[in-house]
């Protein structure tokens, strides 16, 4: 089961993801990221509580990255661990969505 929550802070939107992101649940993450990117604030995708991420979840993250480029927005991933961090590293998506220093956003 995938759980996604969105919170706004003074300087960013935080999309917190927990559980398992697979083909049957990745639509929920896509919808949350689309909604979060409506703001002019940078979007942090907090993966600390995500335990599983398959190719459909990777697709959602890459799609969000491309959408952010079109919108001149910022989306980045934080706190991935374990298998999720490994998947992000092996696919190159971790580097693509790594937080950038404030001046480079």
């Amino acid at each position: 089961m995938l759980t996604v929550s969105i919170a706004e802070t003074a300087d960013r939107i935080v999309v917190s993801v927990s559980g398992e992101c697979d083909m049957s649940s990745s639509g929920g993450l896509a919808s949350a990221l689309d909604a979060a990117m409506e703001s002019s604030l940078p979007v942090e995708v907090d993966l600390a509580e995500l335990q599983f991420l398959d190719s459909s979840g990777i697709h959602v993250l890459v799609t969000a990255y491309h959408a952010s480029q079109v919108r001149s927005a910022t989306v980045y991933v934080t706190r991935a661990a374990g298998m999720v961090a490994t998947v992000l590293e092996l696919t190159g998506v971790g580097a693509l969505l790594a937080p950038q220093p404030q001046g480079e956003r």
Side-chain angles (χ1 to χ4, degrees):
M1 184 166 111
L2 182 73
T3 303
V4 181
S5 63
I6 301 173
E8 185 172 337
T9 69
D11 62 346
R12 68 186 178 280
I13 304 291
V14 179
V15 178
S16 298
V17 187
S18 63
E20 299 181 356
C21 185
D22 58 23
M23 192 166 139
S24 66
S25 62
S26 62
L29 177 58
S31 295
L33 290 174
D34 284 343
M37 285 193 298
E38 292 297 320
S39 169
S40 61
L41 295 172
V43 176
E44 173 187 347
V45 185
D46 182 349
L47 301 180
E49 299 297 321
L50 189 65
Q51 291 132 10
F52 179 81
L53 180 68
D54 73 1
S55 61
S56 60
I58 291 293
H59 176 75
V60 168
L61 293 172
V62 171
T63 299
Y65 170 79
H66 287 296
S68 73
Q69 297 302 294
V70 170
R71 297 175 183 178
S72 296
T74 301
V75 61
Y76 59 96
V77 170
T78 61
R79 302 187 339 135
M83 187 277 296
V84 173
T86 301
V87 169
L88 292 174
E89 180 182 342
L90 290 174
T91 59
V93 175
L96 182 70
L97 292 174
Q100 299 297 315
Q102 189 69 24
E104 294 181 33
R105 287 189 184 153

